[in-house]
Amino acid sequence: MTRHEFKLRLSSPNGADKRAVLLPGVANPLAARVAQDLGYEALYVTGAGVANTELGLPDIGILGLSDMAQAVERIAAVVDLPLVVDADTGYGNSVSCYHAVRRLEAAGAAVIQIEDQVFPKRCGHFEGKDVAPAAEMIGKIKAAVDARRDENTLIMARTDAKAVEGYEAAIERASRYAEAGADILFVEALTTEAELRDAPGRNPGLPHLVNVVHGGKTPPFPASEFEAMGYGLVLYANAALQASVLAMQQVLGALRDDGSLHNVGDRLADFVQRQKVVRTAEWDAMRLHYEGDVKP
């Protein structure tokens, strides 16, 4: 799916294709390759995932724009899917947000998400969050809209106000963000089925995203149910990351205890699978094309 096709898909909720886009979170090119090979239509470059994977740190505002732009560039270089990119709070004020959109769009982002938390932000499913004044976020959205060079690049506005100011305040903020020019709305960390069913209808006409975190605050309905509620995107931002953490703990724990992989071999990709993911055969074929069967 091209960036233009992705925009059309999201902007035509009454079109022939009403399926919600199921978004897996990826934090590095290897995870992106796996997701593309499995047939996903778009990917979400997760700030929490990049912070955890690349820095070994929590999602508490430490990750910077350069860290994220480099991650997006590396992922965009190996997959040809639309990338929805988490830009946290825009990395500063409205001018910083303008610069961030320019940088991330150039890196390969098709959708750029900004949120209304104060800096330093925290994961949307953590306690202890706070939100900036709505007017400050509106300024960032306007800057983000003006900054994009490609008309197919979309701006997603996320509000974390539900946990701080309550549900109605969050819906009101989402409405104001839509008026400011946001293309997609994301009301983070809704906690009840009633809220989840109500939110998309309160700001009709724009696609809505719902974020499902394993062990988080939002009830984990199936994607088909979220689709029926009116969500255009269903995000599982860190499912791949959580799976990889558990697999590493289990496999490396067994290796430590047994001195062997004998008891965990069924949890490992074999050598052929691993080389297929990173396209070893394609690179070998390219070398032969340019060099022939040259012996050193």
Side-chain angles (χ1 to χ4, degrees):
M1 188 188 301
T2 66
R3 183 182 300 209
H4 179 64
E5 290 169 340
F6 190 57
K7 178 182 179 181
L8 291 177
R9 168 79 173 273
L10 294 178
S11 63
S12 303
N14 298 318
D17 190 352
K18 297 181 181 180
R19 294 175 299 119
V21 177
L22 185 61
L23 280 178
V26 299
N28 55 51
L30 184 64
R33 287 277 208 194
V34 170
Q36 178 169 264
D37 288 349
L38 289 170
Y40 284 94
E41 299 173 291
L43 305 175
Y44 181 87
V45 185
T46 158
V50 175
N52 294 173
T53 302
E54 299 299 320
L55 304 181
L57 296 173
D59 184 20
I60 53 173
I62 296 173
L63 190 75
L65 172 59
S66 292
D67 299 311
M68 201 62 180
Q70 289 168 7
V72 174
E73 288 170 350
R74 290 193 293 265
I75 292 169
V78 299
V79 297
D80 55 5
L81 297 177
L83 301 180
V84 181
V85 176
D86 178 5
D88 286 346
T89 62
Y91 306 102
N93 61 13
S94 59
V95 176
S96 302
C97 186
Y98 185 101
H99 171 65
V101 169
R102 284 286 172 99
R103 180 86 183 273
L104 293 172
E105 183 182 44
V111 179
I112 299 167
Q113 173 200 305
I114 57 175
E115 64 193 58
D116 60 4
Q117 284 195 52
V118 299
F119 182 83
K121 61 77 52 83
R122 293 174 64 80
C123 168
H125 290 250
F126 283 178
E127 300 295 336
K129 299 184 295 180
D130 201 0
V131 290
E136 180 179 319
M137 177 65 171
I138 288 168
K140 290 182 181 182
I141 293 169
K142 291 179 178 179
V145 169
D146 287 346
R148 57 188 173 188
R149 288 189 166 99
D150 186 338
E151 63 180 9
N152 294 307
T153 300
L154 303 178
I155 303 302
M156 183 191 307
R158 165 177 147 178
T159 179
D160 285 71
K162 162 64 170 64
V164 182
E165 301 175 343
Y167 176 70
E168 288 297 332
I171 294 298
E172 173 61 23
R173 279 178 176 252
S175 298
R176 295 181 67 186
Y177 299 165
E179 292 173 0
D183 302 294
I184 305 169
L185 298 178
F186 174 8
V187 182
E188 173 65 305
L190 297 178
T191 56
T192 70
E193 180 178 351
E195 291 170 348
L196 287 165
R197 292 189 180 280
D198 182 65
R202 297 289 292 276
N203 287 293
L206 290 183
H208 288 66
L209 178 144
V210 60
N211 181 27
V212 183
V213 177
H214 181 70
K217 296 179 179 296
T218 298
F221 292 102
S224 59
E225 185 66 20
F226 284 124
E227 180 181 297
M229 293 178 188
Y231 290 94
L233 303 103
V234 183
L235 171 63
Y236 288 80
N238 288 291
L241 173 61
Q242 289 172 280
S244 66
V245 169
L246 181 59
M248 285 189 286
Q249 290 173 334
Q250 292 177 339
V251 170
L252 294 180
L255 180 59
R256 176 200 61 206
D257 296 340
D258 303 335
S260 167
L261 296 174
H262 177 75
N263 291 323
V264 290
D266 60 344
R267 301 177 200 176
L268 299 172
D270 64 28
F271 187 80
V272 173
Q273 288 175 297
R274 175 183 159 201
Q275 302 313 316
K276 183 177 180 181
V277 170
V278 296
R279 311 298 196 266
T280 300
E282 294 178 16
W283 286 91
D284 285 345
M286 182 167 59
R287 180 185 62 80
L288 288 172
H289 172 73
Y290 290 120
E291 299 176 9
D293 192 13
V294 177
K295 303 298 183 183

